Amino acid sequence: MIAPRRPRLRAALILSAAGFLLLPCIILGNLHYTPGDDALRHVAKAMTGRPLTDVLIMNDGYPNDHNPGWHALLGLAHKLFGLGSVPLLYFSILLLYGLFIFAPALFARDRVAWFVATGATLLTSLICYRTMQGRPLLVSCTATLIIFLIWSERREIGRVNLAFITAFLIAASVWIHGAWYLFALIPLSYLLAGAAADAGAIALCWIVGTLLGALLTGHSIQFLVQALRMAADCARVPESQLQTEFKSDMETYLIALPICGLLLVRVTGKRPLRHLLRSPEFMLLLTCFVLGLRNKRFWSDWGCLGLLLLIYREVHCIMEQDRKMRVLSVCLFAGLLFCVPRRFEPAGNGSISKYVDFGAKSLAPWCPAPGGTVYSCSQDFFYTHFFRFPEAKWKYVLGYEPCTMTEENLKVLRAIQETREAREAIVPWQQAMRPGDILVLSGERYNPSWEFPSLVWTNAGGYWVGAIPGQASRP
């Protein structure tokens, strides 16, 4: 690996790395930002060690943990360092952030250009948020970046070593993240770029790595089928019922702007555009842009990686032509870096601070009993309360994915979503309640006591919580 030798370049590298180390300190320390979704349930799952079937009312198609490797690693950190829920949450965010920012830089020949490109991509794309969400998705993103880098810049290590590293990265990602099918985008990108031999070799590594990663879970075939089934079930959901991060919007079409910028840089630099069409990175970007018109996460999770790699190539070419551009680029990078925290909101109204304190004596009549059921159409409610009460013995009808729900509960959820929590849609859950169960509705609606007079209601933690009269349980 080539490291800068000139003192100026070494200083630029140190400044870039220091800036990326400072960024999470600003966002997590000063803004007290906390993610509000999957990171919370990953921490809770790692701390309790219980199978999700003990936490959620699930259908029979999802018996296995979707992220076994990540939960194992977090559980190990919890046991070794004695981290509580909040410290473990920040540990997971920082670990994944550091992996995504610094691991690919070890394989890039021009690390200053890589850090500059990463800083620019964080500002101009949706992946900025991904770096601070504590999702194991970043493991797969990091693996993808490294695979593209080694197959383009590290061929001197030999094809055997390239294949070994590629298979290892995919195996680790499958075990930790679970979405094995998404790695098909890599050989597809090479195939579309006309590199059929490399596409075939990477496809073989993908197959071997996927099987190895699945073997680590202990439920190899079942694990692979479950992941594919989850993707298929999510793909069948109408766009009107998708979560915001999946929906295509105007921001998706604005993705074309950085692509046009790259083409403009190519034209003004008098570099042929046909070379761009032979670039696997550009094909990844273009493929994910098209898929992103149907599901925005194809762009925000994978297309941005192609954008990052292309920006790196262009920044490297500019710096090679004029060494003074390195200093200018680092100054620009520093300015961009301090703009990134503005995209994160302080956590004064954050997810982990908005919850129903079931441990309070005043809320005892509304605390689910052991073996009780929490009827809620809010995934945020599940994330926050599983995080706050990981050892609680009640179950949630809705967890991290609606497709894991039982058929009856999923029909009720879809009806609630379509009617915006109309009383008629909620009635089936209210009628299914037993002593020890609770019904949770949005705190923004008017008092539901006249709609459901058979329940006693309280407004706590931003939610309306209804219970059968006479219930008095403790978590």
Side-chain angles (χ1 to χ4, degrees):
M1 301 179 187
I2 300 176
R5 294 182 178 180
R6 297 183 182 182
R8 181 179 299 179
L9 301 185
R10 187 179 296 111
L13 181 61
I14 294 174
L15 177 62
S16 301
F20 277 114
L21 289 173
L22 182 62
L23 179 59
C25 298
I26 297 174
I27 296 175
L28 299 179
N30 188 30
L31 297 180
H32 303 290
Y33 165 81
T34 53
D37 44 34
D38 287 318
L40 302 181
R41 61 117 174 166
H42 289 314
V43 169
K45 175 68 173 65
M47 291 189 65
T48 182
R50 297 159 58 199
L52 287 175
T53 50
D54 286 354
V55 180
L56 301 172
I57 298 177
M58 306 175 71
N59 62 54
D60 296 332
Y62 297 94
N64 300 313
D65 187 353
H66 185 59
N67 311 105
W70 185 234
H71 296 152
L73 293 175
L74 289 182
L76 182 63
H78 169 60
K79 294 177 181 179
L80 289 179
F81 307 117
L83 299 177
S85 57
V86 175
L88 189 61
L89 174 64
Y90 285 117
F91 171 82
S92 66
I93 296 172
L94 291 174
L95 178 62
L96 291 170
Y97 169 85
L99 183 71
F100 178 79
I101 296 296
F102 295 105
L106 299 176
F107 297 87
R109 289 195 179 278
D110 191 340
R111 294 172 191 165
V112 176
W114 178 261
F115 282 136
V116 172
T118 303
T121 307
L122 290 184
L123 183 67
T124 59
S125 69
L126 301 175
I127 205 169
C128 172
Y129 300 104
R130 294 284 183 259
T131 60
M132 287 291 167
Q133 287 185 316
R135 295 183 180 182
L137 159 73
L138 286 182
V139 176
S140 294
C141 292
T142 302
T144 300
L145 290 173
I146 293 175
I147 290 170
F148 273 97
L149 286 171
I150 62 175
W151 281 86
S152 62
E153 295 191 348
R154 299 291 174 180
R155 288 185 175 272
E156 71 274 7
I157 66 176
R159 294 184 70 86
V160 174
N161 289 329
L162 286 175
F164 175 80
I165 295 173
T166 302
F168 172 79
L169 290 172
I170 293 176
S173 300
V174 169
W175 181 56
I176 293 173
H177 180 216
W180 59 271
Y181 47 87
L182 290 172
F183 282 99
L185 290 169
I186 302 178
L188 176 62
S189 300
Y190 276 84
L191 184 62
L192 293 175
D198 288 346
I202 295 174
L204 181 60
C205 295
W206 168 50
I207 295 173
V208 173
T210 298
L211 294 176
L212 290 175
L215 285 173
L216 292 174
T217 68
H219 308 277
S220 53
I221 302 301
Q222 195 178 44
F223 175 81
L224 297 177
V225 172
Q226 175 180 301
L228 199 59
R229 177 181 178 178
M230 181 176 290
D233 288 344
C234 292
R236 287 195 292 265
V237 177
E239 187 170 357
S240 60
Q241 297 176 352
L242 288 173
Q243 298 180 47
T244 303
E245 66 177 0
F246 291 98
K247 293 181 179 179
S248 299
D249 53 21
M250 182 55 66
E251 191 172 7
T252 308
Y253 296 95
L254 292 177
I255 292 167
L257 294 179
I259 299 177
C260 294
L262 282 172
L263 297 177
L264 182 62
V265 169
R266 280 260 168 183
V267 172
T268 56
K270 298 181 179 180
R271 294 193 295 277
L273 289 179
R274 65 177 181 272
H275 292 168
L276 198 61
L277 298 177
R278 298 174 184 172
S279 167
E281 296 86 354
F282 183 74
M283 288 302 161
L284 174 65
L285 181 148
L286 198 60
T287 301
C288 292
F289 172 69
V290 175
L291 294 174
L293 299 178
R294 173 63 179 88
N295 188 321
K296 189 168 67 174
R297 283 197 60 177
F298 274 107
W299 171 258
S300 62
D301 295 352
W302 299 95
C304 290
L305 304 182
L307 178 64
L308 169 56
L309 290 163
L310 286 173
I311 292 177
Y312 164 63
R313 308 284 184 222
E314 298 304 321
V315 171
H316 173 68
C317 290
I318 294 173
M319 289 182 172
E320 283 294 316
Q321 295 173 5
D322 187 357
R323 291 289 181 176
K324 293 181 180 179
M325 286 297 296
R326 289 182 177 271
V327 179
L328 179 61
S329 298
V330 172
C331 293
L332 175 63
F333 158 80
L336 293 174
L337 198 59
F338 282 99
C339 293
V340 170
R342 297 179 180 273
R343 306 183 69 173
F344 293 85
E345 296 182 358
N349 297 319
S351 58
I352 64 173
S353 61
K354 180 184 176 182
Y355 70 101
V356 181
D357 186 5
F358 289 118
K361 292 183 178 180
S362 60
L363 294 178
W366 292 274
C367 178
T373 301
V374 176
Y375 292 93
S376 171
C377 62
S378 169
Q379 287 179 275
D380 289 338
F381 186 89
F382 162 72
Y383 289 131
T384 305
H385 293 79
F386 183 36
F387 176 78
R388 288 292 184 180
F389 307 99
E391 299 294 344
K393 301 303 181 183
W394 58 72
K395 289 187 177 183
Y396 304 84
V397 295
L398 173 61
Y400 62 97
E401 283 291 348
C403 63
T404 65
M405 301 173 70
T406 62
E407 184 177 354
E408 296 78 11
N409 285 326
L410 182 58
K411 287 181 180 179
V412 176
L413 174 67
R414 295 309 185 199
I416 292 174
Q417 292 174 334
E418 291 174 357
T419 60
R420 297 185 178 182
E421 294 193 10
R423 178 185 182 278
E424 294 75 16
I426 302 173
V427 165
W429 277 354
Q430 184 260 328
Q431 293 177 341
M433 290 178 63
R434 303 166 301 171
D437 298 345
I438 63 170
L439 177 62
V440 180
L441 303 177
S442 171
E444 297 178 356
R445 64 184 292 146
Y446 46 84
N447 193 327
S449 59
W450 69 273
E451 292 181 296
F452 303 98
S454 61
L455 303 178
V456 290
W457 293 90
T458 186
N459 192 302
Y463 297 96
W464 284 105
V465 183
I468 294 175
Q471 177 175 317
S473 305
R474 302 293 296 170

